[in-house]
Amino acid sequence: QVQLVESGGGSVQAGGSLTLVCTASGSISSRNVMGWYRQAPGRERQLVAAIFTGGVTNYADFVQGRFTISREYGDTTVYLRMNALKPEDTAVYYCNYRPLRDASDYWGQGTQVTVSS
């Protein structure tokens, strides 16, 4: 079993920055991918960024170079540094964990990000 706890959400003006933090605990696989997804009202949940153990990353097209995902503390803590935020980035952001050798999928409770114009 894996537990994910997110923090770092909040309200900022357009052009501002936030850093989201996700800490994973429990039975963590030595090979996994962790990432951030977001869901706006009335929209499907979508990938923002993901990072594998070993450091390979994947970003959604809408990131446009503004965000950086990283991990540390034995790959159990994942950060999403978001710069140049836009109102359309407003959503609930969810941390995700997926071991590579299993079909398991784990989610955090979500943290609200609100960007005002």
Side-chain angles (χ1 to χ4, degrees):
Q1 189 174 7
V2 174
Q3 297 81 43
L4 304 173
V5 178
E6 303 126 321
S7 62
S11 298
V12 297
Q13 290 185 293
S17 299
L18 286 172
T19 299
L20 306 183
V21 183
C22 176
T23 299
S25 62
S27 300
I28 307 300
S29 173
S30 61
R31 297 197 65 199
N32 63 75
V33 57
M34 296 186 67
W36 290 93
Y37 291 69
R38 72 186 190 187
Q39 187 167 20
R43 304 294 300 274
E44 294 287 327
R45 187 173 297 185
Q46 61 184 167
L47 173 72
V48 179
I51 183 166
F52 290 78
T53 47
V56 174
T57 59
N58 183 44
Y59 295 93
D61 288 343
F62 62 75
V63 168
Q64 298 174 322
R66 299 175 298 136
F67 302 169
T68 301
I69 190 168
S70 61
R71 60 196 303 176
E72 59 183 34
Y73 298 112
D75 291 332
T76 60
T77 299
V78 176
Y79 301 88
L80 183 68
R81 176 64 176 176
M82 302 187 292
N83 297 315
L85 284 163
K86 306 173 181 179
E88 49 263 45
D89 294 319
T90 296
V92 178
Y93 285 69
Y94 297 90
C95 184
N96 174 258
Y97 165 85
R98 188 174 300 124
L100 295 183
R101 65 181 181 181
D102 295 324
S104 304
D105 204 11
Y106 299 87
W107 296 93
Q109 79 285 353
T111 184
Q112 177 71 46
V113 171
T114 302
V115 184
S116 60
S117 60

